Amino acid sequence: MRRARARGAPPVAPPGRPTLGTFDASILAPSGKWMMVIGRYGGAHVDLLRFFSVSPVPSFVIERRGLDITGTRQPTDEETSRIPPGFIIVMLVRSGDELLLAMDYRDYTGFSAWLEAGPIAGSWQI
């Protein structure tokens, strides 16, 4: 169950869901429908878990390697009724495939920082 909070108030985490490393978003699923998800950062990937599900298994996993942000945009009139208010659309590309995520601008700044902080191409860990 998600707890409501006032805008600007620090997040209140329900038991079992830490606030660090997670964000609310929506993804345009391959079916063409927007799905509300909770993004959970990992070292080299982001897990996207269905918002209205108790399953700990992610519905989508987005690998950081090869992922690029191509831009952001405001939702279209049709999209506005399918995603939460105040969200922007983040346009991503990986291996030539386009991926659309909708998220709050503050979450977008964290997401873009996470993506940019990844290892550079051709590097390895020792």
Side-chain angles (χ1 to χ4, degrees):
M1 175 180 223
R2 185 172 180 205
R3 297 178 187 177
R5 65 182 169 102
R7 188 171 264 306
V12 177
R17 180 180 168 208
T19 57
L20 294 176
T22 63
F23 61 95
D24 294 337
S26 292
I27 184 171
L28 185 61
S31 65
K33 296 181 180 182
W34 285 97
M35 178 190 314
M36 291 180 67
V37 293
I38 297 169
R40 181 176 60 197
Y41 291 108
H45 64 278
V46 169
D47 294 331
L48 299 177
L49 298 99
R50 287 182 187 262
F51 193 82
F52 297 106
S53 173
V54 294
S55 174
V57 178
S59 298
F60 301 95
V61 177
I62 302 174
E63 298 292 330
R64 182 184 348 214
R65 184 173 295 263
L67 184 65
D68 291 311
I69 297 174
T70 59
T72 63
R73 65 174 173 81
Q74 294 297 317
T76 64
D77 289 338
E78 184 179 324
E79 291 169 330
T80 338
S81 63
R82 293 178 167 82
I83 61 173
F87 275 27
I88 59 168
I89 308 294
V90 180
M91 299 174 292
L92 304 163
V93 67
R94 184 165 191 276
S95 304
D97 295 328
E98 185 180 51
L99 176 65
L100 298 179
L101 280 178
M103 62 183 72
D104 184 88
Y105 187 79
R106 291 172 293 188
D107 292 328
Y108 165 68
T109 59
F111 180 81
S112 63
W114 170 83
L115 186 59
E116 292 172 6
I120 57 172
S123 68
W124 62 88
Q125 295 183 1
I126 298 175

